[in-house]
Amino acid sequence: MAGHSHFSPANVEEYFEFTAEGRKRIIYAFVAGVVALIVGVYLLSRGEGHEAAHAVAEHGEHLSGGATSHHGDYDWTNRIWANLWLNGVYFTGISVIGMFFVSIQYLAKAGWSSVVKRIPEAFPKFLFITGPVLLLTFIFKGDVIFHWMHHGITDPTSEHYDKIIAGKSGYLNQGFFLGRMVVFFVLWLVLWNWMRKKSIEEDLNGGNENFYSMVKIATGFIVLMGISSSMSAWDWVMSIDTHWFSTMFGWYMFSSWHVTGLATITLTVLLLKDKGYMQYVNFNHLHDLGKFMFAFSIFWTYVWFAQFLLIYYANFPEETIYFLERWEGHNKIYKASEIINVVFNFFFPFLVMMTRDAKRTPIFLKICCAFIIVGHYFDFYQMIMPGTIGPHGGFGLVEFGMVTIFASAFIYVISTELTKASLVAKNHPFLEEALHHDI
């Protein structure tokens, strides 16, 4: 890469063009998702509508250690809202990890990443979509997803009173929950907008002033991320199974978000490279992204296994119920998703990405990214579905349609955002280092 030394900053600009053809293909995918969702909802209404009258009495004791289940009054539409919540949480994670990745690079004053950082920098734009989706789903259908929102559950005079949930009501109540959600999204977006503005200013004006401002913004964001990633994990996912808790859950969900975000960044870089963009990204940069994916797949496995092992070994019924519900429960789809979870998210990346060459070979990286992205969708599936729809879970057109809608919307929004600035941060103080990056 020594031949790059003649590039002056002005020469390394590279602009992404979101072509009419590209737009059309994404819109077609979106429409296909909508059609699949409509057909899925229709089939669901035909298949489950008449069964809704039969409450799943045997499942009553099954949820969270003897508490009366909130699947007793199951309505077939619950599956739609659970899917909306699942995709909202999953894609929020990918979006916010874009900002987290950029912040880590600035905090570490890393040089190599200055040629790829514009990709993750565009991701948080999608928070403008997922924020309202989660907010509206919670406001209108929160009681479908969260056991603790059920009528009378914290009222000692009600037949639905639950002493354990009532004990948690100081934290788990509608107003405080909504407040936390709004604060997290607002702070994430404010810091991202500020970072993005400084980043584009740097392209225009050069100098080091913007760089130091971005280091400060990054520091603030890392602190915020430490708090918000754990609290959003407790709120949006762990509180679905209200009786159950795990002190490692914040780490667990964050590690799942993180590795999915890294895989999405890497896949985006590779796909742009295929189209002739990102020409300053060489095999060494890919190697670094590959190392990140490899390392954090193992980190996710460590957290997943540590959480599982401690619960398995202690063998307390109120803790083991979480895994029993997924492994021995009424629905085989959860057992399948647990197996996919471990195979796609650990064994596959671990064995494929172990060698140096694999991390430098685009086709291996692409396959690995695809497995990680799909595998962690199933990770979130098995976190959210058993507690929301219990034995009624499945994987059909509703799930496929919903994830296609979200994925195509994500690609469209991020592609549009990528056109707004050069793909290479041409005045980044460490750009010269990145152009000569060699490991």
Side-chain angles (χ1 to χ4, degrees):
M1 297 307 288
H4 273 145
S5 55
H6 66 274
F7 287 116
S8 68
N11 291 9
V12 296
E13 279 190 295
E14 201 178 43
Y15 283 92
F16 173 66
E17 189 193 347
F18 192 16
T19 60
E21 181 61 29
R23 284 175 203 273
K24 212 186 296 176
R25 279 158 65 183
I26 296 166
I27 291 165
Y28 286 157
F30 185 87
V31 171
V34 172
V35 170
L37 180 62
I38 291 167
V39 173
V41 167
Y42 173 72
L43 294 174
L44 201 59
S45 68
R46 293 290 299 271
E48 296 225 16
H50 63 277
E51 291 169 22
H54 306 291
V56 195
E58 78 235 65
H59 194 67
E61 291 290 304
H62 173 57
L63 186 83
S64 303
T68 303
S69 166
H70 54 297
H71 304 311
D73 50 358
Y74 179 79
D75 179 342
W76 65 268
T77 57
N78 292 10
R79 188 158 148 187
I80 302 164
W81 309 120
N83 267 290
L84 204 54
W85 190 259
L86 161 65
N87 284 285
V89 172
Y90 179 70
F91 282 94
T92 293
I94 295 174
S95 308
V96 83
I97 290 302
M99 178 67 179
F100 179 73
F101 180 86
V102 173
S103 298
I104 288 283
Q105 304 309 312
Y106 275 103
L107 205 59
K109 298 192 169 65
W112 70 274
S113 55
S114 55
V115 284
V116 296
K117 73 140 192 151
R118 279 284 155 83
I119 307 303
E121 199 177 270
F123 284 9
K125 183 78 173 182
F126 199 63
L127 292 172
F128 283 109
I129 308 286
T130 59
V133 164
L134 289 178
L135 212 59
L136 294 170
T137 308
F138 178 75
I139 291 166
F140 293 107
K141 288 290 174 183
D143 59 331
V144 165
I145 294 157
F146 298 106
H147 190 183
W148 55 267
M149 279 186 70
H150 285 201
H151 181 69
I153 208 142
T154 58
D155 177 6
T157 60
S158 167
E159 57 173 327
H160 301 298
Y161 179 66
D162 186 313
K163 192 179 173 188
I164 293 172
I165 294 176
K168 299 184 181 192
S169 62
Y171 183 79
L172 290 178
N173 62 73
Q174 204 166 347
F176 194 20
F177 185 103
L178 261 179
R180 290 192 297 270
M181 184 187 271
V182 170
V183 165
F184 293 156
F185 273 101
V186 167
L187 288 175
W188 287 341
L189 283 166
V190 164
L191 287 173
W192 170 69
N193 270 310
W194 192 13
M195 176 79 95
R196 184 76 168 154
K197 201 167 131 231
K198 292 285 178 192
S199 184
I200 290 167
E201 266 177 36
E202 184 184 68
D203 273 7
L204 298 171
N205 307 327
N208 292 338
E209 194 185 325
N210 287 305
F211 176 80
Y212 288 115
S213 296
M214 285 189 275
V215 171
K216 285 175 188 157
I217 298 166
T219 310
F221 185 82
I222 297 290
V223 172
L224 169 67
M225 191 65 184
I227 300 162
S228 60
S229 65
S230 282
M231 288 180 84
S232 55
W234 307 334
D235 287 1
W236 305 346
V237 180
M238 195 171 81
S239 78
I240 289 169
D241 298 278
T242 316
H243 281 227
W244 183 83
F245 66 91
S246 161
T247 50
M248 293 182 73
F249 201 86
W251 275 111
Y252 168 47
M253 193 170 114
F254 167 74
S255 62
S256 193
W257 266 1
H258 192 208
V259 75
T260 314
L262 291 169
T264 311
I265 293 163
T266 309
L267 189 59
T268 311
V269 169
L270 288 164
L271 293 175
L272 284 170
K273 226 172 147 44
D274 285 350
K275 291 192 184 302
Y277 299 103
M278 311 298 290
Q279 55 184 320
Y280 306 106
V281 173
N282 61 42
F283 293 122
N284 302 292
H285 299 106
L286 296 180
H287 190 169
D288 274 340
L289 289 167
K291 281 191 285 193
F292 261 126
M293 275 162 52
F294 179 70
F296 283 99
S297 287
I298 293 170
F299 177 71
W300 171 84
T301 313
Y302 155 67
V303 180
W304 180 89
F305 187 67
Q307 178 175 273
F308 171 79
L309 188 70
L310 291 170
I311 289 170
Y312 169 81
Y313 192 75
N315 204 16
F316 292 134
E318 64 270 28
E319 290 182 351
T320 54
I321 187 72
Y322 187 82
F323 289 103
L324 283 171
E325 196 172 34
R326 284 150 180 77
W327 200 250
E328 309 285 344
H330 292 268
N331 198 319
K332 295 287 178 279
I333 188 79
Y334 303 136
K335 189 169 188 172
S337 61
E338 284 281 1
I339 294 165
I340 288 170
N341 204 8
V342 178
V343 172
F344 279 30
N345 298 333
F346 172 61
F347 287 112
F348 193 86
F350 180 69
L351 296 172
V352 170
M353 304 277 286
M354 200 182 282
T355 64
R356 172 184 163 91
D357 286 349
K359 297 187 198 77
R360 300 170 78 88
T361 311
I363 188 68
F364 278 117
L365 283 172
K366 278 183 196 163
I367 293 168
C368 228
C369 288
F371 268 81
I372 287 170
I373 291 165
V374 172
H376 283 282
Y377 171 83
F378 278 101
D379 189 18
F380 277 88
Y381 182 91
Q382 62 81 31
M383 281 188 228
I384 289 169
M385 289 301 180
T388 51
I389 54 177
H392 302 276
F395 198 87
L397 285 173
V398 173
E399 284 71 20
F400 178 76
M402 194 75 85
V403 77
T404 306
I405 288 168
F406 270 84
S408 45
F410 179 81
I411 294 165
Y412 194 93
V413 169
I414 304 316
S415 300
T416 307
E417 188 63 24
L418 284 173
T419 60
K420 294 180 182 173
S422 165
L423 291 177
V424 180
K426 64 171 186 171
N427 286 329
H428 194 291
F430 301 148
L431 184 60
E432 195 69 19
E433 182 187 329
L435 298 176
H436 298 283
H437 187 47
D438 184 29
I439 47 171

